[in-house]
Amino acid sequence: MATNGVRALEALAEPTRRAIFEALPHAPKSVGELADLVGVSSSAVSQHLKVLRAARLVMVRPEGTRRVYTLDPRGLGDARDYLEQFWPSALAAYAAALSEARAER
């Protein structure tokens, strides 16, 4: 079973979803605004937003007759937590590579 961090990374692997996600840090946006920004139909944006919401990467709130989307910090935290588990081994591999390079001098 995928963790929330994996779901977030999987959701962002699709280029259109990633473009939608990257459009939101600046200000909340409606489906229509996102469609104009990424160059796909409002229907397609709605489907991508459904995936992003399931991965806890975006939140929606009503604003008059529109629904506006913003980033959801929970999904970002999930992705960060998932990736952080790899840092100790990545840093150890980097230290080993440095030691090996110094020994070859």
Side-chain angles (χ1 to χ4, degrees):
M1 178 185 262
T3 65
N4 287 337
V6 172
R7 276 190 219 102
L9 294 175
E10 288 172 344
L12 292 174
E14 202 285 324
T16 303
R17 275 196 292 274
R18 192 168 50 254
I20 292 167
F21 176 80
E22 290 172 353
L24 290 172
H26 311 292
K29 293 186 178 40
S30 68
V31 170
E33 291 169 323
L34 290 166
D36 289 343
L37 282 171
V38 298
V40 297
S41 70
S42 293
S43 178
V45 168
S46 292
Q47 291 301 309
H48 287 299
L49 286 166
K50 183 178 179 180
V51 174
L52 292 169
R53 284 183 68 201
R56 299 188 338 166
L57 290 167
V58 298
M59 298 184 290
V60 62
R61 74 171 190 273
E63 193 174 272
T65 59
R66 301 181 326 155
R67 295 168 57 99
V68 294
Y69 291 83
T70 59
L71 293 184
D72 186 338
R74 297 175 304 165
L76 293 171
D78 293 340
R80 183 193 60 236
D81 292 345
Y82 172 76
L83 291 171
E84 281 182 350
Q85 71 180 317
F86 301 104
W87 277 116
S89 60
L91 291 174
Y94 179 71
L98 277 176
S99 294
E100 186 177 312
R102 287 182 181 143
E104 291 175 359
R105 287 187 192 170

